Amino acid sequence: MQSKLINGHPFIAYSHETFAPAAMAQRTLDFYQWLDRRRTVREFSDRPVPKEVMDNLIQAASTAPSGAHKQPWTFCVVSDPGLKKQIRIEAEKEEFESYHGRMSDAWKKDIEKLQTDWQKPFLEIAPYLIVVFKKAYDVDGNGMRHNNYYVTESVGLACGFLLAAIHHAGLVALTHTPSPMNFLSTILQRPENERPFLLIPTGYPLKETFVPDLKRKNLGEIAVYY
Ligand code: IYR
């Protein structure tokens, strides 16, 4: 592999496949249509998923770009039934409060089409809960703090990659945000510099599963060309 130093910093040659316009048009259409089939699913099978698959999914997520390449994320992959039960109990406590007061009427009306409620059985049924933490800062071996940058953007990007990887695996996921979710730091004993970001149950869908009949915005509603 070709390499060189730029101002003392190592760089490597980047080789990248390119496509003719017609091939690119077909590829982008295929990719869009394939991504368009991804749906958030709330009904999981308890069918096991190999750990090797989870390892690959997490590594795919961690290829996302991040501020100063700090990779400010930790993916906690929970399969232990005791931990899943604790997470369900605490999530349902928070969700009960949310659905019975914390959420505005307008908010509840907005999500009525999803037919969700405070009960979250999938937190025990899905074979894996991926709990994504964002690292507000890093701590080195000497206890020194180091800055991270654009942490929310970076971890959001990694979660996007993760959801695409899960779809590519033929599995399904739910982007779940019990609020507040500090209980995840306690149950999983995460250090002070890590903050819970997203809880992603992952697995196979139930054989017979239904999802809300949602429509995506069309191009004219989401894109402005100048
Ligand atoms: N966190 C709750 C409520 C909820 C909120 C939004 I915004 C959604 O898109 C879906 C659900 C829950 O998980 O049920």
Side-chain angles (χ1 to χ4, degrees):
M1 197 193 302
Q2 264 207 311
S3 62
K4 65 177 178 179
L5 291 179
I6 301 180
N7 289 327
H9 297 277
F11 278 66
I12 52 171
Y14 181 55
S15 67
H16 186 71
E17 198 179 0
T18 59
F19 303 96
M24 199 161 39
Q26 189 61 53
R27 286 174 67 87
T28 50
L29 178 63
D30 290 346
F31 187 64
Y32 152 52
Q33 289 178 340
W34 171 78
L35 270 183
D36 193 31
R37 293 177 53 187
R38 186 206 57 81
R39 292 298 309 268
T40 289
V41 166
R42 293 184 163 77
E43 292 177 306
F44 287 84
S45 153
D46 61 0
R47 185 174 166 191
V49 171
K51 179 181 173 291
E52 181 188 1
V53 169
M54 302 309 291
D55 292 346
N56 293 338
L57 294 175
I58 302 303
Q59 289 180 106
S62 196
T63 65
S66 61
H69 191 53
K70 293 279 192 159
Q71 305 166 85
W73 42 65
T74 302
F75 298 90
C76 295
V77 185
V78 182
S79 60
D80 178 84
L83 286 176
K84 290 201 299 193
K85 191 187 198 89
Q86 279 185 57
I87 290 172
R88 177 182 178 183
I89 289 168
E90 294 305 315
E92 287 186 336
K93 258 189 225 162
E94 296 297 355
E95 294 290 88
F96 186 89
E97 291 305 322
S98 295
Y99 278 88
H100 293 89
R102 287 201 291 234
M103 286 156 70
S104 66
D105 288 343
W107 187 353
K108 278 189 274 195
K109 197 150 183 38
D110 271 339
I111 62 168
E112 214 177 273
K113 56 183 173 284
L114 307 177
Q115 284 298 297
T116 55
D117 60 34
W118 64 272
Q119 293 178 81
K120 307 296 175 190
F122 52 76
L123 292 172
E124 284 192 87
I125 297 168
Y128 289 104
L129 308 178
I130 306 176
V131 190
V132 185
F133 287 84
K134 63 177 185 181
K135 291 172 140 180
Y137 53 90
D138 277 326
V139 184
D140 69 20
N142 302 318
M144 289 284 290
R145 285 185 182 209
H146 300 273
N147 292 334
N148 288 332
Y149 308 93
Y150 300 101
V151 168
T152 302
E153 292 84 345
S154 302
V155 182
L157 285 162
C159 288
F161 277 36
L162 178 60
L163 295 180
I166 290 168
H167 180 51
H168 179 256
L171 299 172
V172 296
L174 165 59
T175 37
H176 182 42
T177 51
S179 175
M181 52 180 170
N182 337 0
F183 67 87
L184 292 166
S185 304
T186 312
I187 294 174
L188 300 175
Q189 304 182 336
R190 301 315 303 165
E192 210 290 312
N193 63 322
E194 293 188 9
R195 314 282 150 76
F197 184 75
L198 208 50
L199 172 48
I200 309 179
T202 302
Y204 290 91
L206 263 193
K207 248 207 180 75
E208 278 254 312
T209 192
F210 288 82
V211 294
D213 186 12
L214 306 178
K215 300 285 174 268
R216 302 201 198 277
K217 289 182 178 176
N218 62 40
L219 188 62
E221 294 170 287
I222 57 168
V224 185
Y225 286 79
Y226 293 90

